[in-house]
Amino acid sequence: MKLGTAIAEIMRREGIEILCGYPVNHLIEHAAKAEIRPVMVRQERVGIHMADAISRVTSGRSIGAFCMQHGPGAENAMGGVAQCFGESVPVLVLPMGYQRRLSHIEPNFNSSEAMKPFAKSSEPIILATEVANIFRRAFTKLKNGRGGPVIVEIPSDMWNEEVPEPLNYTPVLRTRYGADPVHVKEAAGLLVNAKRPVIYAGQGVHYAQAWPQLKRLAERLAIPVTTSLGGKSSFPETHPLSLGSGGLAVPRAVPKFLSEADVIFGIGCSFTETNFGVAMPKGKTIIHSTLDPNHLNKDVEAKIGLVGDAGLVLDALLEEIGKTVTADRDASAVAAEIAASHKEWLAKWMPKLASNDVPLSPYRVLWDLQHTVDIHNTIITHDAGSPRDQLSPFWKAVEPLTYLGWGKTTQLGYGLGLAMGAKLARPDKLCINVWGDAAIGFTGMDFETAVRERIPIMSILLNNFSMAIELKVMPVSTEKYRSTDISGDYAAMARAFGGYGERVERPEDIVPAIKRGIQKTREGVPVLLEFITSKETEVSRPGT
């Protein structure tokens, strides 16, 4: 069989049902013939974002895949690959490459070399006879260990080469590994005897699907739980022991309980130091459970390291703890303390959350959104900047994988592709992205992709005509030269593309517009609701 047919067949055997892409890449047509749905985007980065979401919302059980043209197509895709690397998301990236005789000659762009620094693995196909071995290595990397993008570059002169039949390929194994029992016992002892423990849960809990174990541990020892942005929704945020999620903007309870903790247990997290994550206070006893040993002592000093799958680690801890703690501890006191902190913090923010001001408060828009949708059946994601910080502290995720949080690197426009990919993988859910007038400038054309590819997402645009955060860091540019004074009617743009677009300017119109938008998505129509908001830059940072 021809090389493209063989690659498509391998992907089909590995369970890939959707190939996001941008032409020309001949794999698109081979995949379509193999009953793999091609989804064509307007911009390469968005296609990788869509593949990213497919992997996220399935806990990596379905691997997102993206292919693109050699040269400029691969160059344009680099930002999306880097985002997957920063967020540890397993995505199969399949760039075309220059002909083998030209692939290493400057200035030709060589994807397998250029993307190697921010990929889990990167390999070109040199011999058609090796295609099964190459993809066996690629899918093993994608299915095992910490996630990340995997690059397989396909030279443009290889499509007519023959792969021996029958194709010798079976889906690769998926395996897990657990922590050293000695260290599990030590960690259990620390947690049992801790006076003020806190659990910090990362997205490794999602990939391990270890949500029940996390909840059991918290309830067994009455331990408050906070999450990273990537780990948000791994623990129900309506639970009495939930502190909320960490990020640049946080509920007040998060820094309060972390600062007062004697033991912090990080599970399924990297503890990566970032401006967009909660900082771990100094001088704490830290138990670090991570899938990647390279993360131990990378940014914080760990007293105990538990290297392994979050589910296996939590299973082992629960078994060890159960030897001495045989019933759930009374959580009433700590739950009351958490509730009091939440109540005091929320009281400060309610004037914004319930504001009747015009232009609209972005907090009012997102507060009404949260209380209008069926939150159990909604998947939502933020964008970079203000939308992330205005949404994440207040949105209470109650079901696993219903909030796609991110923040180690923060590309504007990421959220649109995530929402579309989530809808492709979970068509039963209402999938929402929240972005601003800066982000839509990067990826807004791909709303047309949602229309053309019949992906009925709901896009919430907070438009303050000023690229938001630049107001405070570029005062002369803004006030004298109006460099960030952006005009535009994005609701009209959505209608021009064939979707549903509505501009909202009054508080009393917020909920009716959201309800109309929800109904349109049920009818299969992509929706863009544009809310004209104030130039709001204050966010709920630690201590506020």
Side-chain angles (χ1 to χ4, degrees):
M1 65 179 68
K2 300 296 185 184
L3 178 73
T5 302
I7 295 173
E9 175 61 21
I10 289 170
M11 293 168 62
R12 187 191 66 79
R13 293 183 189 182
E14 286 286 3
I16 290 179
E17 298 178 347
I18 295 170
L19 175 62
C20 303
Y22 193 99
V24 172
N25 186 312
H26 301 303
L27 183 59
I28 296 168
E29 188 67 7
H30 289 287
K33 291 176 181 177
E35 304 297 324
I36 296 172
R37 176 186 172 182
V39 175
M40 297 298 99
V41 295
R42 287 286 185 170
Q43 202 259 88
E44 290 85 355
R45 182 162 66 97
V46 174
I48 295 182
H49 296 163
M50 293 169 70
D52 174 329
I54 291 170
S55 293
R56 282 179 186 252
V57 301
T58 63
S59 298
R61 278 26 177 205
S62 293
I63 299 296
F66 177 78
C67 70
M68 65 289 204
Q69 184 182 13
H70 70 290
E75 293 162 21
N76 284 340
M78 288 181 72
V81 177
Q83 185 81 56
C84 288
F85 184 73
E87 299 297 320
S88 301
V89 181
V91 171
L92 178 62
V93 182
L94 299 157
M96 279 228 299
Y98 283 92
Q99 300 169 35
R100 283 166 290 180
R101 67 182 184 83
L102 300 174
S103 62
H104 293 277
I105 298 175
E106 293 182 349
N108 295 334
F109 185 83
N110 187 302
S111 296
S112 56
E113 288 189 356
M115 296 181 183
K116 187 176 292 184
F118 45 91
K120 191 172 181 183
S121 71
S122 186
E123 185 175 358
I125 300 175
I126 302 299
L127 297 171
T129 55
E130 283 296 301
V131 69
N133 290 329
I134 290 168
F135 277 92
R136 193 172 290 115
R137 287 190 287 272
F139 276 102
T140 299
K141 292 281 189 181
L142 289 164
K143 288 183 174 183
N144 295 281
R146 179 169 65 93
V150 169
I151 315 299
V152 177
E153 187 175 21
I154 310 167
S156 59
D157 60 337
M158 293 195 67
W159 295 105
N160 288 322
E161 296 208 5
E162 293 286 339
V163 175
E165 296 187 65
L167 181 63
N168 179 24
Y169 190 91
T170 55
V172 302
L173 58 82
R174 186 188 296 274
T175 189
R176 301 186 297 165
Y177 49 89
D180 187 328
V182 172
H183 297 151
V184 169
K185 186 173 183 178
E186 292 173 352
L190 275 177
L191 290 171
V192 167
N193 294 307
K195 302 299 183 185
R196 297 275 296 184
V198 171
I199 295 172
Y200 177 70
Q203 70 170 348
V205 177
H206 286 314
Y207 282 103
Q209 298 183 339
W211 315 296
Q213 297 100 307
L214 174 61
K215 187 168 178 282
R216 283 202 299 273
L217 176 62
E219 292 174 345
R220 177 52 51 101
L221 296 182
I223 303 179
V225 179
T226 184
T227 72
S228 66
L229 281 175
K232 189 175 172 73
S233 80
S234 62
F235 190 80
E237 293 182 303
T238 52
H239 193 285
L241 291 172
S242 174
L243 303 174
S245 63
L248 179 63
V250 293
R252 183 182 294 175
V254 172
K256 167 181 163 54
F257 276 80
L258 285 174
S259 67
E260 296 173 359
D262 55 346
V263 175
I264 298 173
F265 173 39
I267 175 70
C269 68
S270 65
F271 279 128
T272 294
E273 186 175 337
T274 167
N275 290 334
F276 310 104
V278 61
M280 291 298 121
K282 305 295 183 183
K284 305 299 180 181
T285 297
I286 289 181
I287 304 167
H288 189 181
S289 174
T290 175
L291 199 56
D292 188 346
N294 290 326
H295 285 159
L296 292 177
N297 291 318
K298 178 173 70 72
D299 296 286
V300 300
E301 182 180 352
K303 183 177 180 64
I304 298 173
L306 303 175
V307 178
D309 173 86
L312 292 178
V313 169
L314 288 168
D315 286 339
L317 274 173
L318 286 163
E319 182 179 358
E320 187 64 36
I321 289 168
K323 295 176 182 178
T324 54
V325 183
T326 58
D328 290 354
R329 287 179 171 172
D330 183 5
S332 58
V334 68
E337 188 180 353
I338 293 169
S341 179
H342 284 330
K343 182 178 180 180
E344 181 185 4
W345 166 72
L346 202 58
K348 175 183 177 180
W349 285 89
M350 277 311 299
K352 292 182 181 294
L353 296 168
S355 170
N356 284 315
D357 290 348
V358 176
L360 302 170
S361 165
Y363 292 98
R364 168 67 186 273
V365 174
L366 298 176
W367 186 254
D368 282 358
L369 178 70
Q370 179 175 185
H371 292 89
T372 305
V373 303
D374 177 2
I375 202 164
H376 290 267
N377 292 299
T378 296
I379 297 175
I380 192 167
T381 188
H382 55 259
D383 219 287
S386 299
R388 173 197 60 232
D389 305 330
Q390 292 158 348
L391 178 68
S392 62
F394 302 100
W395 188 275
K396 290 187 179 295
V398 294
E399 297 289 341
L401 297 171
T402 56
Y403 191 104
L404 302 184
W406 46 278
K408 293 186 182 69
T409 180
T410 57
Q411 297 175 4
L412 283 164
Y414 189 19
L416 177 64
L418 288 180
M420 290 195 289
K423 188 65 177 179
L424 287 170
R426 297 299 306 272
D428 57 313
K429 300 291 186 182
L430 172 65
C431 295
I432 302 173
N433 73 295
V434 179
W435 52 353
D437 59 320
I440 198 171
F442 280 79
T443 60
M445 266 305 287
D446 269 288
F447 187 82
E448 186 274 339
T449 297
V451 175
R452 173 172 36 82
E453 293 285 359
R454 304 170 304 283
I455 308 172
I457 61 164
M458 186 159 76
S459 191
I460 302 295
L461 176 65
L462 305 175
N463 188 2
N464 63 8
F465 300 98
S466 63
M467 297 174 71
I469 201 168
E470 301 305 338
L471 289 169
K472 62 182 179 180
V473 297
M474 295 170 58
V476 176
S477 300
T478 298
E479 295 166 16
K480 184 175 181 179
Y481 296 102
R482 301 182 67 181
S483 296
T484 60
D485 188 359
I486 308 298
S487 61
D489 187 337
Y490 300 108
M493 178 200 78
R495 294 192 297 272
F497 285 149
Y500 179 80
E502 183 173 346
R503 175 176 274 195
V504 181
E505 301 185 44
R506 300 185 306 171
E508 61 266 29
D509 295 333
I510 295 173
V511 171
I514 292 169
K515 289 180 177 179
R516 285 190 290 271
I518 293 170
Q519 181 57 39
K520 286 294 182 181
T521 65
R522 290 172 180 162
E523 296 169 7
V525 180
V527 171
L528 192 153
L529 301 180
E530 179 185 13
F531 296 92
I532 306 306
T533 62
S534 60
K535 295 173 174 59
E536 175 69 71
T537 58
E538 183 183 1
V539 298
S540 180
R541 289 190 170 90
T544 63

